[in-house]
């Protein structure tokens, strides 16, 4: 259990709902859910949810902290916003899902083998190096994220797509040596570091 997670357990031991309200984007809306199920019925990923949104919200109220924050459900959200458009109470469900996913990851509770968790980390690591996405390196890291053998199989399966992209100038093989970057990439890293510092300093603050 991470130090941050331990601190959160101690601070909000009696109320996971208060913890969500304090630390999750739009978390104060969770208590407004009336369990109608319109969100999950409107979701194109409905059959892939471990726990649909309204069930997650009830679990939060029931203090099922570990089950919620370690769930893969939040990571299945595709940000289509059907749930927000159709919720009779106007809950910002998409934002809450992403907020729960982000918070679970910060606490070290997100399921490490969930594909979207892996992709989000690979994308972030790729982007923050230079301020721009190196598509070649990102693609290769995605191919090999489940092991060398799987990477070779995926690369062979996608070879025609890759060659087509190279022919049309959409993929530069020389980006493997570094690629393009933003002007002032070091300043971007400083800004991100400062943002992380501010976020972490505010994590345990509850504004009721």
């Amino acid at each position: 259990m991470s130090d941050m997670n331990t601190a959160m357990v101690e601070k909000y031991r009696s109320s996971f709902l208060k913890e969500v309200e304090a630390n999750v984007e739009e978390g104060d809306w969770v208590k407004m859910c009336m369990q109608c199920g319109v969100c999950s019925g409107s979701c194109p990923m409905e059959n892939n949810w471990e726990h649909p949104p309204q069930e997650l919200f009830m679990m939060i109220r029931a203090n099922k902290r570990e089950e919620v924050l370690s769930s893969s459900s939040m990571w299945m959200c595709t940000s289509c916003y059907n749930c927000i458009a159709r919720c009779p109470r106007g809950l910002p469900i998409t934002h809450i899902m992403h907020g729960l996913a982000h918070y679970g990851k910060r606490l070290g509770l997100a399921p490490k083998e969930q594909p979207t968790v892996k992709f989000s980390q690979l994308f972030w690591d790729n982007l923050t190096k230079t301020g721009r996405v190196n598509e070649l390196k990102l693609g290769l890291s995605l191919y090999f994220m489940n092991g060398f053998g799987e990477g070779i199989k995926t690369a062979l399966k996608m070879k025609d797509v890759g060659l087509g992209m190279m022919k049309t100038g959409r993929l530069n093989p020389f980006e493997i040596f570094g690629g393009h970057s933003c002007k002032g990439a070091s300043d971007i890293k400083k800004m991100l570091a400062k943002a992380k510092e501010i976020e972490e300093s505010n994590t345990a603050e509850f504004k009721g």
Side-chain angles (χ1 to χ4, degrees):
M1 184 180 289
S2 69
D3 292 341
M4 181 179 171
N5 188 33
T6 301
M8 291 297 120
V9 169
E10 291 302 316
K11 184 174 179 65
Y12 299 102
R13 183 176 293 280
S14 62
S15 179
F16 181 38
L17 177 59
K18 284 187 177 180
E19 181 180 353
V20 169
E21 289 176 333
N23 299 288
V24 173
E25 181 185 0
E26 307 286 7
D28 54 326
W29 281 86
V30 168
K31 59 180 174 288
M32 295 298 294
C33 176
M34 62 182 187
Q35 297 292 301
C36 67
V38 168
C39 52
S40 57
S42 305
C43 180
M45 298 298 289
E46 176 187 4
N47 295 326
N48 298 286
W49 286 93
E50 182 181 7
H51 305 289
Q54 83 277 8
E55 188 175 314
L56 280 175
F57 297 163
M58 184 55 73
M59 291 167 68
I60 290 170
R61 295 174 186 172
N63 277 333
K64 294 186 179 295
R65 185 179 188 275
E66 296 293 322
E67 293 94 324
V68 171
L69 295 177
S70 62
S71 173
S72 64
S73 296
M74 300 85 73
W75 297 93
M76 299 303 297
C77 178
T78 61
S79 302
C80 71
Y81 289 88
N82 276 349
C83 54
I84 292 180
R86 295 176 179 174
C87 176
R89 286 195 169 171
L91 271 70
I93 299 166
T94 301
H95 305 297
I96 298 170
M97 290 297 102
H98 292 315
L100 285 169
H102 177 62
Y103 187 55
K105 192 169 192 311
R106 288 176 63 199
L107 294 176
L109 297 175
K112 292 180 174 55
E113 295 304 311
Q114 208 278 340
T116 310
V117 178
K118 287 185 176 181
F119 170 77
S120 64
Q121 189 63 56
L122 290 171
F123 183 89
W124 179 254
D125 292 341
N126 184 292
L127 174 65
T128 53
K129 283 181 180 177
T130 63
R132 292 178 183 267
V133 174
N134 184 315
E135 294 182 353
L136 178 60
K137 287 186 176 181
L138 179 61
L140 288 173
S141 63
L142 288 173
Y143 287 177
F144 290 93
M145 71 178 183
N146 292 318
F148 184 76
E150 285 298 314
I152 295 296
K153 289 179 184 177
T154 305
L156 290 173
K157 185 168 62 177
M158 297 295 292
K159 67 179 188 306
D160 292 337
V161 174
L163 288 171
M165 291 177 69
M166 288 175 61
K167 288 178 182 177
T168 56
R170 297 295 303 275
L171 184 67
N172 183 354
F174 291 104
E175 284 203 347
I176 194 69
F177 300 110
H180 52 292
S181 65
C182 283
K183 183 184 292 185
S186 60
D187 293 328
I188 293 174
K189 290 181 179 180
K190 290 176 183 177
M191 286 190 290
L192 291 172
K194 185 61 178 179
K196 183 179 180 181
E197 179 186 329
I198 293 171
E199 185 177 54
E200 289 180 349
S201 69
N202 292 334
T203 296
E205 294 181 7
F206 172 56
K207 298 176 182 179

